[in-house]
Coordinates of all heavy atoms in Angstrom, one line a residue:
L1 N -5.1 1.2 -4.0 CA -3.9 0.4 -3.9 C -4.2 -1.1 -3.4 O -4.7 -1.2 -2.2 CB -2.8 1.0 -3.1 CG -1.5 0.3 -2.8 CD1 -0.7 0.1 -4.1 CD2 -0.7 1.1 -1.8
D2 N -3.9 -2.1 -4.2 CA -4.0 -3.4 -3.7 C -2.7 -3.7 -2.9 O -1.7 -3.1 -3.0 CB -4.1 -4.4 -4.9 CG -4.3 -5.9 -4.5 OD1 -4.8 -6.1 -3.3 OD2 -4.2 -6.7 -5.4
L3 N -2.9 -4.7 -1.9 CA -1.7 -5.0 -1.1 C -0.9 -6.1 -1.7 O 0.4 -6.1 -1.7 CB -2.1 -5.5 0.3 CG -2.7 -4.3 1.2 CD1 -3.1 -4.9 2.5 CD2 -1.7 -3.2 1.4
M4 N -1.6 -7.2 -2.3 CA -0.9 -8.4 -2.8 C -0.6 -8.1 -4.3 O -1.4 -8.4 -5.1 CB -1.7 -9.6 -2.6 CG -1.9 -9.9 -1.1 SD -2.9 -11.4 -0.8 CE -4.5 -10.9 -1.3
L5 N 0.6 -7.6 -4.5 CA 1.1 -7.2 -5.9 C 2.3 -8.0 -6.2 O 3.1 -8.3 -5.3 CB 1.3 -5.8 -6.0 CG 0.1 -4.8 -5.8 CD1 0.7 -3.4 -5.6 CD2 -0.8 -4.9 -6.9
P6 N 2.6 -8.3 -7.5 CA 3.9 -8.9 -7.9 C 5.0 -7.9 -7.6 O 4.8 -6.6 -7.8 CB 3.7 -9.2 -9.3 CG 2.6 -8.3 -9.8 CD 1.7 -8.1 -8.6
G7 N 6.2 -8.4 -7.2 CA 7.3 -7.5 -7.0 C 7.1 -6.7 -5.7 O 6.9 -7.3 -4.6
R8 N 7.1 -5.4 -5.8 CA 6.9 -4.6 -4.6 C 5.4 -4.6 -4.2 O 4.6 -4.1 -5.0 CB 7.4 -3.2 -4.9 CG 8.9 -3.1 -5.3 CD 9.4 -1.7 -5.5 NE 9.5 -1.0 -4.3 CZ 10.2 0.2 -4.2 NH1 10.7 0.7 -5.3 NH2 10.3 0.8 -3.1
N9 N 5.1 -5.0 -3.0 CA 3.7 -5.1 -2.6 C 3.1 -3.8 -2.2 O 3.9 -2.7 -2.1 CB 3.5 -6.2 -1.5 CG 4.3 -5.8 -0.2 OD1 4.4 -4.7 0.1 ND2 4.7 -6.8 0.5
G10 N 1.9 -3.8 -1.9 CA 1.2 -2.5 -1.5 C 1.7 -1.8 -0.3 O 1.8 -0.6 -0.1
Y11 N 2.1 -2.7 0.7 CA 2.7 -2.1 1.9 C 4.0 -1.3 1.6 O 4.2 -0.2 2.1 CB 3.2 -3.2 2.9 CG 2.0 -4.0 3.5 CD1 1.8 -5.4 3.2 CD2 1.1 -3.4 4.4 CE1 0.8 -6.1 3.8 CE2 0.0 -4.1 4.9 CZ -0.1 -5.4 4.6 OH -1.2 -6.1 5.2
D12 N 4.8 -1.9 0.7 CA 6.1 -1.2 0.3 C 5.8 0.0 -0.4 O 6.5 1.0 -0.2 CB 6.9 -2.2 -0.5 CG 8.4 -1.7 -0.8 OD1 8.8 -0.9 0.1 OD2 8.9 -2.1 -1.8
V13 N 4.8 0.0 -1.3 CA 4.5 1.2 -2.1 C 4.0 2.3 -1.2 O 4.5 3.5 -1.3 CB 3.4 0.9 -3.1 CG1 2.8 2.2 -3.8 CG2 3.9 -0.1 -4.2
C14 N 3.1 2.0 -0.2 CA 2.6 3.0 0.7 C 3.7 3.6 1.5 O 3.9 4.8 1.7 CB 1.6 2.4 1.6 SG 0.6 3.6 2.4
R15 N 4.6 2.7 2.1 CA 5.8 3.1 2.9 C 6.7 4.1 2.1 O 7.1 5.1 2.6 CB 6.6 1.9 3.3 CG 7.7 2.3 4.2 CD 8.6 1.1 4.5 NE 7.9 0.0 5.1 CZ 7.6 -1.2 4.6 NH1 7.9 -1.4 3.3 NH2 7.0 -2.1 5.2
T16 N 6.9 3.7 0.8 CA 7.8 4.5 0.0 C 7.2 5.9 -0.3 O 8.0 6.9 -0.3 CB 8.1 3.8 -1.4 OG1 8.7 2.5 -1.1 CG2 9.0 4.5 -2.2
L17 N 5.9 6.0 -0.6 CA 5.3 7.2 -0.9 C 5.4 8.2 0.4 O 5.7 9.3 0.2 CB 3.8 7.0 -1.2 CG 3.4 6.2 -2.4 CD1 1.9 6.2 -2.5 CD2 3.9 7.0 -3.6
R18 N 5.0 7.6 1.5 CA 5.1 8.5 2.7 C 6.5 8.9 3.1 O 6.7 10.1 3.5 CB 4.4 7.7 3.9 CG 2.8 7.4 3.7 CD 2.1 8.6 3.1 NE 0.7 8.3 3.0 CZ -0.1 8.7 2.0 NH1 0.4 9.4 1.0 NH2 -1.4 8.5 2.0
A19 N 7.5 8.0 2.9 CA 8.8 8.4 3.2 C 9.3 9.5 2.2 O 10.2 10.3 2.7 CB 9.7 7.1 3.0
A20 N 8.7 9.6 1.0 CA 9.2 10.6 0.0 C 8.4 11.8 0.3 O 8.5 12.8 -0.5 CB 8.9 10.1 -1.4
G21 N 7.5 11.9 1.3 CA 6.7 13.1 1.5 C 5.5 13.3 0.6 O 4.9 14.4 0.5
I22 N 5.1 12.2 -0.1 CA 3.9 12.3 -1.0 C 2.7 12.0 -0.2 O 2.6 11.0 0.4 CB 4.1 11.3 -2.2 CG1 5.2 11.6 -3.0 CG2 2.8 11.2 -3.0 CD1 5.6 10.5 -4.0
T23 N 1.8 13.0 -0.2 CA 0.6 13.0 0.8 C -0.7 12.5 0.0 O -1.8 12.7 0.7 CB 0.4 14.3 1.5 OG1 0.2 15.3 0.5 CG2 1.6 14.6 2.3
T24 N -0.6 12.2 -1.2 CA -1.8 11.8 -1.9 C -2.6 10.7 -1.1 O -2.0 9.7 -0.6 CB -1.4 11.2 -3.3 OG1 -0.6 12.1 -4.0 CG2 -2.7 10.9 -4.1
P25 N -3.9 11.0 -1.0 CA -4.7 9.9 -0.3 C -4.6 8.5 -0.9 O -4.7 8.4 -2.1 CB -6.2 10.5 -0.4 CG -6.0 12.0 -0.6 CD -4.7 12.1 -1.4
V26 N -4.5 7.5 0.0 CA -4.3 6.1 -0.5 C -5.5 5.3 0.1 O -5.7 5.3 1.3 CB -3.0 5.5 0.0 CG1 -3.0 4.0 -0.3 CG2 -1.8 6.3 -0.7
L27 N -6.2 4.7 -0.7 CA -7.3 3.8 -0.3 C -6.9 2.3 -0.7 O -6.6 2.0 -1.8 CB -8.6 4.1 -1.1 CG -9.9 3.4 -0.6 CD1 -11.1 4.2 -1.1 CD2 -10.0 2.0 -1.1
I28 N -6.7 1.6 0.4 CA -6.3 0.2 0.2 C -7.5 -0.6 -0.2 O -8.6 -0.6 0.4 CB -5.7 -0.5 1.5 CG1 -4.4 0.4 1.9 CG2 -5.4 -1.9 1.3 CD1 -3.3 0.3 1.0
L29 N -7.4 -1.4 -1.3 CA -8.5 -2.3 -1.8 C -7.8 -3.7 -2.0 O -7.1 -4.0 -2.8 CB -9.0 -1.8 -3.2 CG -10.1 -2.6 -3.8 CD1 -11.4 -2.5 -2.9 CD2 -10.5 -2.1 -5.2
T30 N -8.2 -4.6 -1.0 CA -7.5 -5.8 -0.9 C -8.4 -7.0 -0.4 O -9.4 -6.7 0.2 CB -6.3 -5.7 0.1 OG1 -5.6 -6.9 0.2 CG2 -6.8 -5.3 1.4
A31 N -7.9 -8.2 -0.7 CA -8.6 -9.4 -0.2 C -8.2 -9.7 1.2 O -8.7 -10.6 1.9 CB -8.4 -10.6 -1.1
K32 N -7.1 -9.1 1.7 CA -6.6 -9.3 3.1 C -7.6 -8.7 4.0 O -7.5 -7.5 4.1 CB -5.2 -8.8 3.2 CG -4.2 -9.5 2.3 CD -2.8 -8.9 2.4 CE -2.1 -9.2 3.7 NZ -1.7 -10.6 3.9
D33 N -8.3 -9.5 4.8 CA -9.4 -8.9 5.6 C -9.1 -9.1 7.1 O -9.9 -8.8 8.0 CB -10.7 -9.5 5.4 CG -10.7 -11.0 5.5 OD1 -9.7 -11.6 5.9 OD2 -11.8 -11.7 5.3
G34 N -7.8 -9.3 7.5 CA -7.4 -9.4 8.9 C -7.3 -8.1 9.5 O -6.9 -7.1 8.9
E35 N -7.6 -8.0 10.9 CA -7.5 -6.7 11.5 C -6.0 -6.2 11.6 O -5.7 -5.0 11.5 CB -8.1 -6.8 12.9 CG -7.5 -7.8 13.8 CD -8.2 -7.9 15.2 OE1 -9.4 -7.4 15.2 OE2 -7.6 -8.4 16.1

């Protein structure tokens, strides 16, 4: 999952998945390199 996406960003996608109880492993792949 990229973070900087058009429309719903990666943060929102990840939050939505976990809120829905979906436990599929998520690997963030992004240019955002801040801690």
Side-chain angles (χ1 to χ4, degrees):
L1 177 65
D2 189 13
L3 290 180
M4 295 182 288
L5 297 167
R8 304 183 71 168
N9 63 33
Y11 293 116
D12 189 26
V13 171
C14 195
R15 181 189 302 110
T16 302
L17 293 181
R18 298 313 187 221
I22 296 172
T23 60
T24 305
V26 173
L27 190 160
I28 300 295
L29 182 63
T30 180
K32 295 173 73 67
D33 59 359
E35 60 183 18

